[in-house]
Amino acid sequence: SYYLRTGLATFLLALLAALVAGLSLFFLVTRRLRLLSQAVRAFQHGSLDRRAEAKGKDELGALGRSFNDMAAAIQSGVERLRLAEQQRTELIANISHDLRSPLTSVRGYLESVLVKDGELTSEQRKELLGISLRNVASFQDLVGELFELARLETRQVEPRREPLQAA
């Protein structure tokens, strides 16, 4: 019975030591995988500047480097989209200003013709209507350019290169 107890105690001690060593080794081996997983989750939740540790020349190192390359490409794409959106907002503001100017001018001249109808000479009326027509033509040109820009953006037309003379 002494040998049985000693053998059982030794077996349990060896089992406990193997369990502790095995769990320690497991956590050491899976540490890099956990760090990579944390980086992926952080990136998924919006931390676009988060990168994974890419140490080692094994599969996990390669996976970490691939994730970092992918994250950098996505972050760069997001920055390009933000810049494009900012430029689009500025373009819309500029276009609305440019379109508003000839419309305001046309409206002012036409209101002048209506309000001062009896006081205007035939030449004054023709001059005001001529200015209005020029502003309408300017407005049409702006709308045409805007339509051309929309066609270029949707790639319905390819831009043509033309020679430019140096001044």
Side-chain angles (χ1 to χ4, degrees):
S1 89
Y2 170 75
Y3 292 116
L4 187 61
R5 274 187 304 199
T6 306
L8 187 58
T10 305
F11 174 73
L12 289 177
L13 211 60
L15 184 63
L16 182 63
L19 185 64
V20 168
L23 287 176
S24 298
L25 187 60
F26 176 76
F27 283 110
L28 284 175
V29 169
T30 61
R31 179 180 178 274
R32 289 176 49 212
L33 191 56
R34 282 192 314 275
L35 290 174
L36 178 62
S37 178
Q38 288 171 357
V40 169
R41 273 193 227 103
F43 189 83
Q44 177 186 10
H45 293 296
S47 296
L48 298 183
D49 57 343
R50 182 73 185 266
R51 297 297 183 266
E53 280 189 37
K55 296 177 183 176
K57 297 187 181 207
D58 58 353
E59 290 82 7
L60 284 179
L63 184 60
R65 286 187 292 280
S66 294
F67 170 76
N68 290 342
D69 292 345
M70 178 203 65
I74 289 174
Q75 187 175 19
S76 173
V78 167
E79 289 301 318
R80 283 194 309 270
L81 285 174
R82 284 184 186 147
L83 179 62
E85 184 59 31
Q86 178 184 358
Q87 290 173 343
R88 183 180 298 275
T89 302
E90 291 173 7
L91 177 68
I92 289 172
N94 291 336
I95 287 172
S96 66
H97 177 266
D98 288 348
L99 291 177
R100 202 175 292 154
S101 297
L103 282 177
T104 302
S105 178
V106 167
R107 181 177 180 166
Y109 285 115
L110 291 178
E111 285 177 352
S112 295
V113 169
L114 284 175
V115 170
K116 298 180 180 183
D117 188 35
E119 304 169 19
L120 294 174
T121 65
S122 176
E123 282 194 24
Q124 289 173 326
R125 184 177 290 112
K126 282 182 183 180
E127 181 182 351
L128 291 175
L129 290 174
I131 292 171
S132 295
L133 281 174
R134 283 193 299 276
N135 282 317
V136 166
S138 171
F139 181 75
Q140 285 176 324
D141 290 343
L142 287 172
V143 170
E145 289 173 8
L146 185 60
F147 180 70
E148 184 69 22
L149 178 64
R151 289 180 55 201
L152 285 171
E153 274 191 349
T154 59
R155 302 200 190 281
Q156 293 177 358
V157 208
E158 288 297 319
R160 282 188 330 232
R161 292 180 185 245
E162 294 182 6
L164 181 68
Q165 292 180 346

